[in-house]
Amino acid sequence: MKKLSILAIVVLLGSLLAFADKKDEPQGASEVKFQVVKADNGKPVRNASVILHPVTKQGWQSKKGFELKTDSEGNTQLAVPYGKVRVQVIAPGFQTYGEDFVLTEPTREIVIKLERPKDQYTIYK
């Protein structure tokens, strides 16, 4: 009987902690609009991959995510739940871009400027 009551208390505390954790998370979603452009001339980068992953409070990237492609004007958009999100942009002929954003507002516009690859550093030149 004593084991059963201890088990019930543990289950109750666990469910309260889980509920409290979800209560602290912001509810809703942000409509995020991305524009991917070349850093040197500001022209749009079409067909770039924009990859989004939610990030936990501990900084861990979730395995769940989204992959979008930019249109001919370098634009793409998606409704993303509020919170921290990791954005990675990959396009042929450009350096990979990565940054974390905290989404708290209903709409957000993010302009990403992609750089061309740089030469490697070497002592043999």
Side-chain angles (χ1 to χ4, degrees):
M1 186 68 170
K2 187 175 181 180
K3 288 181 183 180
L4 185 61
S5 62
I6 291 174
L7 179 64
I9 291 172
V10 169
V11 170
L12 180 64
L13 286 176
S15 63
L16 287 175
L17 289 175
F19 177 74
D21 211 22
K22 294 199 185 281
K23 192 173 96 173
D24 292 341
E25 293 178 7
Q27 301 296 317
S30 179
E31 184 68 30
V32 184
K33 298 177 183 179
F34 295 96
Q35 183 178 29
V36 181
V37 297
K38 298 176 186 176
D40 56 351
N41 61 14
K43 290 186 178 180
V45 177
R46 67 182 180 134
N47 210 27
S49 295
V50 179
I51 303 158
L52 305 158
H53 287 282
V55 178
T56 65
K57 291 179 182 179
Q58 295 80 18
W60 293 96
Q61 175 178 307
S62 171
K63 291 185 180 183
K64 297 178 183 178
F66 304 98
E67 182 175 353
L68 310 169
K69 291 285 191 174
T70 57
D71 61 13
S72 61
E73 297 299 314
N75 298 318
T76 190
Q77 65 184 33
L78 180 70
V80 180
Y82 287 152
K84 194 173 194 179
V85 65
R86 183 159 293 147
V87 176
Q88 183 180 21
V89 180
I90 302 171
F94 294 94
Q95 289 181 350
T96 299
Y97 171 90
E99 189 173 348
D100 290 350
F101 294 93
V102 178
L103 304 175
T104 57
E105 57 272 354
T107 60
R108 176 89 181 254
E109 293 184 18
I110 299 173
V111 177
I112 297 170
K113 297 179 180 181
L114 294 181
E115 299 275 345
R116 295 284 182 185
K118 306 283 189 247
D119 287 336
Q120 291 184 346
Y121 292 104
T122 180
I123 60 171
Y124 298 108
K125 283 190 175 184

